Amino acid sequence: MDKKKLSERDICSKFISPALERAGWDLHTQVREEFPITAGRILVRGKLHTRAKNKRADYVLFYKPNIPLAVIEAKDNSHSIGEGMQQALQYADMLQVPFVFSSNGDGFLFHNKLVKHGNLETELKMDAFPDPSTLWKLWKEARGFDDGQEELVIQDYHSDGSNKTPRYYQILAINTTIEAIARGQKRLLLVMATGTGKTFTAFQIIWRLWKSKTKKRILFLADRNILVDQTKTNDFKPFGSAMTKIQKRQVNKSYEIYLSLYQAVTGSEEEQNIYKQFSPDFFDLIVVDECHRGSAADDSNWREILEYFSSATQIGLTATPKETKEISNIHYFGKPIYTYSLRQGIEDGFLAPYKVVRIDLDKDLSGWRPEKGMQDKYGNEIEDKVYKQNDFDKKIILEKRTELVAAKITEFLKQNDRFSKTIVFCENIDHAERMRQSLANENKDLVQKNSKYVMRITGDSEEGKAELENFIFPESKYPVIATTSKLMTTGVDAQTCKLIVLDQNIQSMTEFKQIIGRGTRIHEEYDKYYFTIMDFKRATELFADPDFDGDPVQIYEPKEGDPISPPDLIEEESPEMEDARGDTFGIEGEISEEGEQRDWQGVENQDVVQYGVLKYYVDTVEVRVASERVQYFDSNGKLVTESLKDYTKKTIQKEFATLDAFQKKWNSTERKQVILEELANEGIFFEALAEAVGKDLDPFDLICHVVWDKRPLTRKERAERVRGSNYFKKYGEGARRVLDALLDKYSDSGVTQIEETQILTITPFSELGTPMEIISKFGGITEYEKAIQQLEKELYQESA
């Protein structure tokens, strides 16, 4: 056997895997080959999307199914033994494992991050790979765990038998939390971006603590009924009969796992605080979901519960740790023991990226002042002052503004998909109701078919709240558009939401992140790979705030008369993002039992005093769209301000310094699809690029033209040039007919089509014989493949 001729996969199967088995590693339970770490960032250009290449380790070794210990990166034998080490170290850093190996089949290069004396890296023979107990002993000693702590740490997570395992960051969050509790830490904070599986992670933490009997009675607190119900029926379902939901202010002390809305166990009157029916040491563990919602405040009801059960271990879960002068959950829980950010989730391809359509309205920018003595539609004289953006829909209602916002939302949906799930965030309940009316008028054709096409889902609307689950459920067609205020800012798992509309002055970065999180989930079955934020209140300027950790792929500001959807390609350069506003932070409203933010002093009637002034309704003032700006972010999350053509040119020239270098790579690659996929992973979309150039060109000609200003040939011109050459003469009549048909297919569909042998099963090839009969005209499959390669060489043969 000539080892030099073996592929990387052959090296793995013939040398590395057998070496692991001889060392005592169980190939079925401890060894994971081609272990996926990331999903590959979703890249967006216009309405097109693709995924960048994912990160995948050749081997990850587990001591137990939940404890990764080592990474192995394999290379074929034409590489040195340590060729894969740098790549393996990158994966090891992501997985936070201490033992790293590289191999080419001749031996292993071993990098030991825990070494205290001697060399950091050593070479091992193939039969000297360390066994699982040796690596585990080194790991355990480095962590300083005794036997009792070890028993908790190695407790396995729950498996439903489907081979579904936690993602790499979930494993890290679970293990980090379990290890901290094993060391005796009592207050813990986990920060995980919306859509990354906080509740699933919490379940796995609780499961391990419960199964190991480390924590026997556990309380899970949330602030929305829907959160509690979703948790009980979905992620927490395996707890079965050991679990109960506290409701109707009734306490049953015979269960082990308790789920509760925090409002259900607290109240202003002492007798309403039913949590005091439990003894202070009743619970061993309390988990607070969405802990940014109130647990951080010293005087909140959450803190009363947490302080009453102070002997329990307490874990706070949030996507947005709250830090203000008045409130801090870091002060209570301590610094996060693990953080997985929105930016990292988008980079890894587990969260959906997003575009921004930013629309400025003239009255929002310039303000509006009534004429002296002007009355509103109800005859109330309007106070003479300049009303600014923060006043609209609170102190003064410009009805034509609401109508314009509804019209722009509808225009966007009509240009894209009128059944894209959409959430419109409004200032208050009254605003949400007026927005519902305006959207119903703009979409009367669909509302007449089903009145639930657009619904107000707010805390005071029983009809709206009853439809919340249908809005969330991907299989439910209706409602399509939900207008809301605060009820849907957090905890609503709207997997298929493709449009988020901001017509609300965002109170804080915390609230902003939560709202953005409603769209970050990916749902491939429903073609949900990215989403759009339509911003009427310039809230997205918070992207420039250093506290924000996720970047949009595009920002578009249409002027009056411009299409509402961002064009697929922008040729002019765009200015850098402006600084964040300084007036976005304020005091959040008090949250009612159903989670809806009530107006000042709890007033429900929207036509009376609010903030100490009369609310005026004005229906005669025109409002118009006032700007345009587009910004893209590349595969690395870096701001791109040039056009797609400029971006393509820069990206290609990084890889190929000259046209000659590109042509050599193109001609030497057997399958051109490989090159096209590599370039797509860099954010180059040939369909969009062809639209920018204005011609339906072959990708080869597109690149040569855009990057090196070479006159492009159409596919038809290239095909005719081959027909006019002597290329066909060396083949028999039957083979020439096949090649002629292949040239026609190239002219119509491009080079990737003729590279697939399946093309021989369709017309006109099926009229020339079966695939085997066609291939036999060339003397067999090898000769047929050579003919295809030669045909491509002729197609791309460039004259002097």
Side-chain angles (χ1 to χ4, degrees), residues 299-426:
D299 59 351
S300 73
N301 289 330
W302 297 67
R303 284 291 285 270
E304 291 180 21
I305 301 173
L306 297 179
E307 288 169 0
Y308 180 79
F309 297 112
S310 60
S311 63
T313 299
Q314 298 172 3
I315 302 173
L317 304 174
T318 183
T320 51
K322 179 176 292 187
E323 288 300 303
T324 70
K325 291 180 179 179
E326 295 81 18
I327 295 175
S328 170
N329 46 22
I330 289 179
H331 174 71
Y332 182 81
F333 287 105
K335 291 184 178 180
I337 60 169
Y338 183 76
T339 298
Y340 189 72
S341 68
L342 173 64
R343 172 176 281 124
Q344 191 61 54
I346 293 174
E347 180 62 32
D348 288 343
F350 295 122
L351 295 180
Y354 48 90
K355 304 177 185 180
V356 173
V357 177
R358 188 181 286 166
I359 302 172
D360 289 327
L361 305 181
D362 57 355
K363 299 300 184 292
D364 288 5
L365 295 180
S366 62
W368 176 75
R369 183 177 180 180
E371 298 175 2
K372 187 175 182 179
M374 183 177 180
Q375 296 180 340
D376 74 355
K377 63 185 289 186
Y378 297 117
N380 299 305
E381 184 173 336
I382 304 171
E383 180 185 357
D384 185 12
K385 58 174 287 186
V386 176
Y387 293 93
K388 298 182 179 180
Q389 186 182 66
N390 288 349
D391 299 317
F392 296 141
D393 297 302
K394 293 178 183 175
K395 300 177 183 178
I396 191 157
I397 312 302
L398 298 183
E399 293 189 349
K400 291 188 181 298
R401 184 190 181 283
T402 307
E403 293 169 3
L404 179 57
V405 170
K408 288 300 175 183
I409 295 169
T410 303
E411 181 185 342
F412 181 88
L413 292 173
K414 285 181 177 179
Q415 292 177 5
N416 292 276
D417 176 9
R418 294 187 75 184
F419 284 89
S420 291
K421 291 294 179 87
T422 300
I423 305 176
V424 185
F425 288 96
C426 303

Side-chain angles (χ1 to χ4, degrees), residues 638-708:
K638 184 179 178 182
L639 181 66
V640 178
T641 56
E642 69 264 57
S643 68
L644 182 57
K645 288 196 289 186
D646 289 339
Y647 175 76
T648 299
K649 183 174 183 178
K650 184 175 69 176
T651 303
I652 294 292
Q653 288 182 335
K654 282 183 181 178
E655 183 73 20
F656 306 102
T658 64
L659 172 62
D660 185 56
F662 172 71
Q663 289 175 331
K664 285 181 179 178
K665 176 65 180 290
W666 182 269
N667 289 324
S668 64
T669 303
E670 290 186 8
R671 290 176 57 82
K672 306 301 183 276
Q673 182 66 27
V674 174
I675 296 179
L676 300 184
E677 288 176 355
E678 289 176 354
L679 295 176
N681 287 340
E682 292 296 322
I684 297 173
F685 299 103
F686 292 99
E687 182 180 332
L689 194 60
E691 187 177 335
V693 173
K695 296 181 180 179
D696 182 20
L697 297 174
D698 187 274
F700 174 84
D701 284 282
L702 271 175
I703 291 173
C704 293
H705 174 63
V706 169
V707 180
W708 289 285

Side-chain angles (χ1 to χ4, degrees), residues 260-277:
S260 178
L261 194 70
Y262 85 89
Q263 298 95 329
V265 293
T266 61
S268 57
E269 300 296 330
E270 185 67 22
E271 61 269 17
Q272 289 182 306
N273 293 325
I274 67 167
Y275 66 87
K276 292 185 179 179
Q277 296 178 39

